Amino acid sequence: MGEMNIASTSRGNAHATMEDVAKLAGVSLKSVSRVINAEPHVSAKLRAKVEAAIAELNYVPDTAARSLAGSRAFIVGLLFDNPSPNYTMNIQKGVYETCRDQQHHLRIDNIDSTVPAEKFEAQLAAMVRNSRCDGFVLTPPLTDNVVLLDFLDRSGIRYVRIAPDIQPDRSPGVCIDDAAAAAAAARHLWELGHRRFAVVRGPASHGAAGRRRQGFIDELHRLGAENPIIEAEGNFSFESGIAAGAKVLAATPRPTAIFAANDDSAAGVMVACSQAGLKVPNDVSVCGFDDSWVAKSVWPYLTTVYQPIEEMGRAAAALLLRRDEPDNVLHELDFSLVVRASTAPPPQ
């Protein structure tokens, strides 16, 4: 895939130089370089002086020259293998914003992790050979792909993972508590009076999908659910939601509440309800996960779990660009349950 030229989006003064910035700020050229390159241990006073001079001159750093001057490429790689367009779009937006703020380019690659390991490694080698990056932001399910992680570690390439499931201390990462978020959805449906439930799962390779399923089911059991919980395989896509919805609605007795592991598949479930002659939420309540644009493009509007996808992208890129080595810890962000019109008490 191509690169986004961050610098080209700014209306910089083509005649201003780093020397002009240094002169206006009354500091050395080295000090200007340290601020522009986001190096650690720069005082707030120095940073403020340099940034004020940059703003006054409308100076845009030359990322190509910066790359030649040192070992950094000033390019962040973002890797996808995810069927949800909403998720990829929002992660991309968050990572891009951090790149823009820190004067970096963004390179986006979509790689197929379902191919045999040997072919997958060949893809990775070609990608690294053809694009020099300072590191990669990994999104699920690549987050938990051991072949990819081993390849990056062997190559000495830094990476930050979003929502990792395996070996959480292997790299820096950002996440939410998916199990607790799905448990909140389960409590909401239970408190409305539902006692017959179904779950539309996400891809087996997606660790967060498994945590959501388990969190939802565990919470129902804790609340005292006695009826079997019907399950169907989903793939985080609208089409898979239609197929899974048709399957769970064919069960006897029919569930009165369906939890889908993301909004795309929840929207598909709502279509399956319509095809079966059922109304949402009069006959069946439907709950999703993500609070994407999809949640308010269906009718009735979708009850769902909000996860800060853009913020996760911003935070992951910021961790990657830290010059001091970040600890290999997970940074957990907040979630919330957004109640809309797709859930209601069950029919009597």
Side-chain angles (χ1 to χ4, degrees), residues 91 94-98 102 137 160-162 172-175 308-322 326 331-333:
I91 287 289
V95 174
Y96 171 77
E97 288 175 356
T98 294
Q102 300 199 29
V137 173
V160 172
R161 297 187 290 164
I162 294 177
V174 295
C175 67
I309 301 174
E310 266 186 51
E311 186 180 345
M312 293 167 81
R314 285 195 295 270
L319 281 173
L320 184 68
L321 293 177
R322 278 174 51 178
H331 299 259
E332 192 171 286
L333 305 184

Side-chain angles (χ1 to χ4, degrees), residues 42-343:
V42 174
S43 70
K45 182 177 179 181
L46 172 60
R47 188 178 302 280
K49 289 171 66 176
V50 172
E51 289 178 347
I54 288 173
E56 184 172 337
L57 293 169
N58 204 15
Y59 168 69
V60 176
D62 184 345
T63 53
R66 291 159 68 201
S67 177
L68 290 172
S71 60
R72 301 177 69 190
F74 297 95
I75 299 173
V76 169
L78 177 59
L79 298 187
F80 283 116
D81 184 18
N82 194 304
S84 171
N86 166 76
Y87 185 86
T88 56
M89 177 179 65
N90 281 283
I91 287 289
Q92 178 180 323
K93 184 178 179 183
V95 174
Y96 171 77
E97 288 175 356
T98 294
C99 288
R100 178 197 60 202
D101 293 344
Q102 300 199 29
Q103 299 293 339
H104 278 64
H105 294 282
L106 172 60
R107 177 185 172 90
I108 303 168
D109 283 282
N110 191 358
I111 57 178
D112 184 2
S113 62
T114 63
V115 298
E118 185 176 322
K119 187 174 181 180
F120 182 57
E121 285 207 41
Q123 288 184 62
L124 298 175
M127 179 187 67
V128 171
R129 185 170 57 250
N130 296 327
S131 62
R132 181 166 165 252
C133 295
D134 292 318
F136 290 97
V137 173
L138 309 183
T139 60
L142 298 175
T143 293
D144 295 318
N145 188 296
V146 177
V147 174
L148 172 59
L149 302 182
D150 289 345
F151 175 87
L152 295 176
D153 285 339
R154 287 196 309 270
S155 303
I157 298 173
R158 293 181 60 194
Y159 56 90
V160 172
R161 297 187 290 164
I162 294 177
D165 187 48
I166 66 167
Q167 304 169 13
D169 59 351
R170 182 164 180 165
S171 72
V174 295
C175 67
I176 66 166
D177 189 335
D178 288 280
R187 285 194 300 276
H188 166 66
L189 295 170
W190 182 271
E191 288 165 2
L192 286 173
H194 293 277
R195 295 299 183 267
R196 299 200 305 273
F197 299 92
V199 174
V200 174
R201 300 188 295 262
S205 61
H206 197 302
R211 293 192 296 273
R212 293 170 195 175
R213 169 195 174 273
Q214 201 60 51
F216 185 83
I217 291 174
D218 287 350
E219 182 66 10
L220 289 180
H221 288 157
R222 189 192 69 79
L223 291 167
E226 297 179 353
N227 295 315
I229 298 167
I230 305 162
E231 297 188 57
E233 195 67 50
N235 194 37
F236 277 178
S237 68
F238 176 73
E239 294 79 8
S240 71
I242 297 175
K247 182 177 180 180
V248 300
L249 290 171
T252 304
R254 188 179 66 227
T256 63
I258 302 173
F259 170 69
N262 80 335
D263 289 347
D264 296 77
S265 52
V269 168
M270 293 175 75
V271 169
C273 291
S274 179
Q275 290 175 339
L278 302 171
K279 291 185 177 181
V280 176
N282 298 27
D283 301 309
V284 182
S285 287
V286 179
C287 181
F289 201 109
D290 281 340
D291 195 25
S292 66
W293 63 270
V294 173
K296 295 183 75 174
S297 65
V298 295
W299 184 258
Y301 287 170
L302 183 65
T303 293
T304 185
V305 173
Y306 165 76
Q307 67 163 334
I309 301 174
E310 266 186 51
E311 186 180 345
M312 293 167 81
R314 285 195 295 270
L319 281 173
L320 184 68
L321 293 177
R322 278 174 51 178
R323 294 304 301 272
D324 53 328
E325 288 296 323
D327 294 329
N328 289 351
V329 297
L330 278 179
H331 299 259
E332 192 171 286
L333 305 184
D334 291 333
F335 65 85
S336 60
L337 180 68
V338 182
V339 177
R340 297 194 180 99
S342 70
T343 53

